[in-house]
Amino acid sequence: MSAANRDRSRRQLGRFGPFAALALLATLVGCIGAWMALDLQAAARAYLAGEAGWSLGQQRAVYQMHRYAETGDAEHREHALGALERLDAARQARLALQARPVAERQARDHLLASGIDAPDVQALLRFPRLLHAIPHVAAALETWRGMDPWIVRLRELAEELEAAWQAPETSQLRIGSIRDELSFIQETLADQAMRFNASLNQGARWMTETLQLIAIFVIVFIAILSMLVFRRITNRIARSQHRFWTTFEQAPVGMALVDADGSIDRANDALTRFLQRRRSELRGKPLAHFADARDRGALRKLIAGAERGDGLPQDLQARYVLPDGRTVWGKLSVADLGENPRGRHLRVAVLEDISEARNLSDELHYQAAHDQLTGLANRREFERHVNQLLHEPDLDTTSHALCMIDLDQFKVVNETFGHLAGDALLVRLSERMKTCLREGDVLARLDGDEFGVALPHCSLETAIDVAQRLRDVIREFRFTWEGRTLSVSASIGLVEVHEYTSDAHQLMQNVDLACHQAKDAGRNQVFVHSETQQASVKRQHDMDWVQRINEALDAQRLDFHAQLIAPSDPGDWRCELLLRLRDDADRLHTASRFMEAAERFHVARSIDRWVIERALQLVRIHRKRFPRVVSWHINLSGQSVDCEIMLPRIIRQIELEGVPPELLCFEITESAAIHSLEEAKRFFTALREIGCEVALDDFGKGLSTFDYLKQLPVDLVKIDGGFVRELAHSELDHAMVRSIQEIARIAGKQTIAESVESIELILRLKQIGIDFLQGHAIHNPQAVEDLEIPETPQRADSDQSA
């Protein structure tokens, strides 16, 4: 049973519980009454059985005494005395039952001694007062009491017979007299026994008739109560159905009842307005029939999964096609209703129009990826294309190229004619540059007067031709402003992208270097980057760092500093563990100094193994000391985004240290995550499934598209410090941070701004709505052992900034 069905069953039980309880009570009363009736009948039967035993006992006693009087045989005397003992036990039992209170133990012992079966004894003991209150039973008992003197007399006669037989030659006359008295007592007792039996039979008949009347009353009562309960339940169901259909028809969002294959059984007015179709056009057709072909498969899975509860998303954002061909966005939610009385399995589908929200999201996405002045791709969108080129599977058989265009002396145009003229020139010039490019090439505005061009599947020779054509078009371009003609030239750097290129950041540095070399060569030039002595020096420098890293690992000279992360609103702290390397001269180096070399020469995973082991030890040691730190942030390199090797090691180390996973947040840079997107998604998902958080670090630095926020299962987004540092003085950076915050919020993720260095930045970031703040204005990194948690984040803000 699905969770929805269980919830619905509990609600129905709560709704009809009082009626069910009343019916159960009536049934219980009926059962108790039936049980009491059976017990009363058993008690009456016990009295009758006792009367039969008593009558037989007195007859046996008289008979044995007659035989004793005739023969003088002591055996007959013993039999007579035994019968009298049982008669006396019955008398004693009666006296115990009539006592106030009833002497149950004595009554039980005497009844068993009188020869009554144990089950009948229990019945007699349960209802003695009730039975004695019945007139006929009371009359029978009175008759029984009247026979007590005769039983006493029989015992006396037994003693007289015994004395007479001691001298039989002188007592024959006395024995004859005793025998005559025995005959009289026998007749008297037989007559009284008949009256006793008749009274008991009348009492039994009266009891049976009374119990029958009670049974009929109980049956009628239960029947009437059941009818009332059934009627009340029926009315409740009718009212519930009426409320459901009223809500269904008047709901402001589209609603439909669909069967197991998604076919629409009934639709409300809001759904007909949303899909712009009449009810007759909707009825009997699958809901997926009206969806865009790209979303039909996911929509069918959602509807089919509503009954199984198979972990699929509870709602789905999909496109729907209107009769005029336009596309609208709707969010579909499906809940299982179970089977209806006709045996059809139905689900309720709720379809909400989210077209406006999607259009806003698309607009924000477009603004985040494009330059507002020229409409070209911006730097981050350009870097996304660069990353795509680097990760294409056929890079070993083809090559690509990048160009960077820097307008020569463009500052003179702004200073001479004003920024309006400069902006107008850039717009017109970007339109002219597009005419030089091939289909699939990407032109982007990287900065004020810098442009980038991505040339996919382009040989170096073709790229040089394109670059020279761009240079010529720019040089020949003429722009008139207020009667004056403006012209510019450009320096263009060019770099080839091939299978040996793996670092997007280095690639951008190379093309930027080539552009500067073109300027140095006299401007209006195209310069192609090639490996130089500078690259050789950089490689040697990185190799030196690798050696120092290995030595530091062997000598245990790696350590952590801790930096607090404050919430924007009052709350608990987070803390990031920042890696430090101590060299032979006892100088500390931050991770930014050596991690690039570590990743380039594939020793980053060795560092990460140390980081995981040592960081979890620190968290175990200090988590009770700092109860207000709700999350410890641990950085991992891109080489550790590995589900086969590093993930089992991380899980095993967490279990070994006994650290609650919810205290851990693993940070991985955006560029590392998108380098192997599918592997990163599996890695992040596995960490979150065990309870850890995942943060996407340096977001925006190598941003390819905001779509990664939807694809990557992360909890937090750390906005790159390059946007934050100048946010107070740059409208572009302010807009970018605001856009990232808005997109992250829509995606259900929290944000952290790093490099927060001033009170002004704190205030602006709080206004934007950033969730957490990190930087020297919040807290200066320090050794974990020296860490102290301020009382409140607000107080820390002012203290650190002061």
Side-chain angles (χ1 to χ4, degrees):
M1 181 185 292
S2 67
N5 283 340
R6 288 195 296 270
D7 292 341
R8 187 164 52 253
S9 299
R10 283 194 289 267
R11 289 195 299 270
Q12 291 175 349
L13 181 60
R15 184 181 303 162
F16 302 124
F19 306 110
L22 191 58
L24 181 62
L25 178 62
T27 304
L28 184 62
V29 169
C31 292
I32 293 174
W35 172 75
M36 291 181 62
L38 292 174
D39 246 17
L40 284 171
Q41 289 180 337
R45 185 179 68 250
Y47 267 113
L48 291 173
E51 184 277 331
W54 186 90
S55 179
L56 181 61
Q58 61 89 13
Q59 290 177 9
R60 182 177 297 155
V62 173
Y63 170 74
Q64 292 295 337
M65 289 180 66
H66 270 296
R67 295 291 296 158
Y68 179 52
E70 290 176 3
T71 64
D73 188 350
E75 183 178 356
H76 292 298
R77 176 179 173 276
E78 294 300 326
H79 287 315
L81 290 176
L84 288 173
E85 288 292 336
R86 285 191 290 275
L87 293 176
D88 187 62
R91 183 178 67 83
Q92 295 293 337
R94 189 194 74 235
L95 294 175
L97 289 173
Q98 291 177 331
R100 295 295 182 270
V102 175
E104 289 190 11
R105 177 172 295 182
Q106 291 87 342
R108 180 183 294 106
D109 295 340
H110 289 311
L111 287 171
L112 291 173
S114 69
I116 297 178
D117 293 336
D120 292 337
V121 169
Q122 292 299 117
L124 283 171
L125 291 176
R126 273 194 289 271
F127 303 105
R129 294 184 181 177
L130 182 60
L131 286 170
H132 297 168
I134 299 174
H136 299 291
V137 176
L141 292 176
E142 188 64 30
T143 302
W144 189 1
R145 279 194 298 270
M147 290 185 281
D148 288 348
W150 300 110
I151 302 300
V152 174
R153 181 57 184 160
L154 283 175
R155 182 174 291 279
E156 293 173 352
L157 290 175
E159 294 176 355
E160 291 178 9
L161 276 174
E162 182 181 8
W165 275 108
Q166 297 297 326
E169 65 281 357
T170 61
S171 304
Q172 288 298 321
L173 183 61
R174 178 58 184 156
I175 292 174
S177 175
I178 292 173
R179 292 187 67 184
D180 291 340
E181 188 175 354
L182 285 174
S183 298
F184 176 75
I185 291 174
Q186 183 178 15
E187 292 176 1
T188 302
L189 290 176
D191 181 60
Q192 289 183 338
M194 290 178 62
R195 289 201 302 273
F196 180 78
N197 187 53
S199 297
L200 284 179
N201 284 330
Q202 289 177 356
R205 285 193 297 273
W206 180 87
M207 190 184 306
T208 300
E209 292 171 356
T210 302
L211 291 175
Q212 286 176 346
L213 289 175
I214 292 174
I216 292 172
F217 172 78
V218 171
I219 292 172
V220 171
F221 173 74
I222 293 176
I224 294 174
L225 182 62
S226 299
M227 291 176 62
L228 292 175
V229 170
F230 177 77
R231 183 175 179 181
R232 189 69 178 270
I233 291 175
T234 304
N235 291 339
R236 280 285 187 92
I237 293 174
R239 287 196 297 270
S240 177
Q241 290 179 340
H242 176 73
R243 285 195 297 268
F244 172 80
W245 288 117
T246 301
T247 303
F248 180 87
E249 293 296 342
Q250 298 179 2
V253 296
M255 297 182 68
L257 293 181
V258 299
D259 56 20
D261 63 357
S263 297
I264 298 174
D265 182 72
R266 184 166 178 172
N268 67 353
D269 289 337
L271 185 63
T272 62
R273 292 193 298 270
F274 176 70
L275 295 176
Q276 296 187 10
R277 290 174 173 85
R278 294 188 299 272
R279 296 194 187 198
S280 58
E281 297 178 80
L282 299 177
R283 187 175 296 112
K285 293 182 180 178
L287 185 59
H289 175 77
F290 304 101
D292 189 277
R294 293 167 289 184
D295 299 326
R296 288 175 184 170
L299 193 147
R300 292 191 185 100
K301 288 182 180 179
L302 176 66
I303 295 176
E307 176 188 6
R308 296 194 303 267
D310 53 8
L312 290 173
Q314 295 300 308
D315 53 61
L316 175 68
Q317 295 185 8
R319 289 154 289 197
Y320 296 84
V321 181
L322 301 181
D324 59 5
R326 290 185 297 114
T327 299
V328 292
W329 280 91
K331 183 172 74 173
L332 177 67
S333 303
V334 182
D336 185 44
L337 294 179
E339 291 187 356
N340 65 3
R342 293 176 293 175
R344 295 186 63 191
H345 207 107
L346 294 178
R347 297 162 176 78
V348 59
V350 180
L351 189 57
E352 180 183 359
D353 186 357
I354 60 169
S355 299
E356 185 176 350
R358 287 291 305 203
N359 291 337
L360 175 61
S361 176
D362 292 342
E363 179 65 24
L364 289 173
H365 180 276
Y366 179 86
Q367 291 179 5
H370 291 79
D371 175 55
Q372 296 183 2
L373 176 64
T374 62
L376 301 176
N378 59 18
R379 176 179 288 275
R380 292 150 195 90
E381 180 70 5
F382 183 72
E383 289 180 356
R384 182 186 73 84
H385 286 284
V386 173
N387 276 304
Q388 284 184 338
L389 296 180
L390 289 176
H391 298 132
E392 285 196 353
D394 59 348
L395 191 59
D396 56 341
T397 60
T398 186
S399 63
H400 315 293
L402 295 182
C403 290
M404 181 174 287
I405 305 170
D406 191 345
L407 300 182
D408 298 327
Q409 302 297 331
F410 183 73
K411 185 182 297 185
V412 176
V413 175
N414 283 332
E415 293 176 352
T416 304
F417 299 96
H419 287 280
L420 288 178
D423 290 347
L425 186 148
L426 290 175
V427 172
R428 295 287 301 276
L429 183 60
S430 62
E431 294 174 354
R432 293 292 299 271
M433 285 192 289
K434 290 179 185 178
T435 62
C436 302
L437 303 180
R438 308 168 306 158
E439 184 178 357
D441 293 344
V442 177
L443 175 64
R445 185 187 180 198
L446 306 182
D447 205 347
D449 58 353
E450 285 185 355
F451 295 85
V453 181
L455 302 170
H457 305 288
C458 181
S459 65
L460 183 59
E461 292 77 12
T462 303
I464 293 174
D465 290 340
V466 172
Q468 290 175 344
R469 190 159 61 247
L470 284 168
R471 180 199 59 190
D472 295 340
V473 165
I474 295 172
R475 185 185 60 211
E476 297 168 1
F477 175 72
R478 298 293 182 270
F479 177 68
T480 302
W481 180 262
E482 295 181 350
R484 301 178 64 178
T485 300
L486 309 179
S487 63
V488 291
S489 63
S491 298
I492 302 178
L494 179 64
V495 64
E496 184 180 17
V497 183
H498 47 66
E499 59 180 318
Y500 302 108
T501 308
S502 59
D503 190 339
H505 180 66
Q506 186 63 45
L507 191 64
M508 293 298 293
Q509 286 185 340
N510 291 341
V511 72
D512 185 58
L513 178 61
C515 188
H516 281 86
Q517 290 173 326
K519 283 185 175 293
D520 294 341
R523 295 188 173 87
N524 197 34
Q525 302 288 327
V526 174
F527 191 92
V528 180
H529 171 79
S530 62
E531 287 290 335
T532 62
Q533 182 66 28
Q534 181 182 3
S536 177
V537 171
K538 177 68 167 59
R539 185 181 296 107
Q540 183 61 46
H541 178 265
D542 289 347
M543 292 178 67
D544 291 342
W545 264 116
V546 170
Q547 182 178 356
R548 296 164 72 180
I549 290 169
N550 289 328
E551 292 174 353
L553 285 169
D554 294 337
Q556 295 294 315
R557 292 202 305 270
L558 292 178
D559 205 348
F560 285 113
H561 274 193
Q563 185 176 36
L564 292 175
I565 303 173
S568 292
D569 297 323
D572 292 319
W573 296 82
R574 292 172 174 264
C575 182
E576 182 174 359
L577 296 176
L578 302 171
L579 185 63
R580 297 290 187 263
L581 184 148
R582 190 178 299 277
D583 62 16
D584 294 335
D586 203 34
R587 293 172 300 189
L588 282 179
H589 299 275
T590 63
S592 61
R593 297 286 304 276
F594 56 84
M595 282 306 297
E596 181 180 348
E599 292 188 354
R600 181 177 182 183
F601 288 95
H602 304 287
V603 295
R605 185 173 288 178
S606 298
I607 296 176
D608 286 341
R609 284 196 290 266
W610 182 91
V611 165
I612 292 166
E613 181 177 347
R614 179 58 180 158
L616 291 177
Q617 288 177 357
L618 286 177
V619 175
R620 174 178 57 81
I621 294 170
H622 294 287
R623 69 185 183 93
K624 291 185 179 179
R625 180 185 164 203
F626 304 118
R628 293 194 59 200
V629 175
V630 296
S631 183
W632 295 81
H633 288 234
I634 302 171
N635 290 278
L636 296 178
S637 70
Q639 293 178 12
S640 290
V641 181
D642 181 356
C643 293
E644 300 296 329
I645 299 175
M646 291 304 293
L647 180 62
R649 177 183 291 271
I650 293 172
I651 296 174
R652 187 166 55 250
Q653 194 67 29
I654 291 174
E655 294 173 349
L656 179 64
E657 297 294 341
V659 175
E662 58 269 17
L663 286 180
L664 304 176
C665 179
F666 290 95
E667 292 191 14
I668 294 92
T669 63
E670 177 197 5
S671 57
I674 64 177
H675 179 74
S676 182
L677 186 60
E678 292 303 319
E679 182 73 11
K681 288 165 67 175
R682 291 194 297 270
F683 184 77
F684 294 171
T685 300
L687 287 177
R688 297 181 74 202
E689 285 177 350
I690 66 172
C692 300
E693 288 184 323
V694 177
L696 198 60
D697 196 8
D698 293 340
F699 186 79
K701 182 177 181 180
L703 179 66
S704 300
T705 171
F706 280 111
D707 187 55
Y708 288 131
L709 282 183
K710 183 171 66 175
Q711 296 188 48
L712 289 171
V714 299
D715 302 283
L716 300 104
V717 175
K718 282 189 98 170
I719 303 173
D720 184 64
F723 298 123
V724 177
R725 292 187 190 94
E726 299 299 324
L727 178 142
H729 310 290
S730 170
E731 292 186 5
L732 180 61
D733 286 341
H734 190 280
M736 275 304 304
V737 172
R738 187 174 64 250
S739 298
I740 293 174
Q741 163 63 21
E742 180 66 18
I743 296 298
R745 184 187 61 79
I746 294 173
K749 308 176 193 308
Q750 293 183 300
T751 51
I752 301 176
E754 53 187 8
S755 300
V756 181
E757 309 297 341
S758 67
I759 285 287
E760 185 177 7
L761 282 178
I762 292 175
L763 296 176
R764 284 181 176 266
L765 291 168
K766 286 185 176 183
Q767 289 174 351
I768 291 174
I770 301 299
D771 298 296
F772 296 96
L773 308 175
Q774 181 180 7
H776 292 287
I778 302 298
H779 178 251
N780 289 316
Q782 61 186 139
V784 181
E785 293 75 12
D786 300 331
L787 183 64
E788 293 183 1
I789 307 298
E791 291 185 6
T792 62
Q794 287 77 6
R795 181 176 176 181
D797 291 349
S798 60
D799 292 347
Q800 294 293 341
S801 299

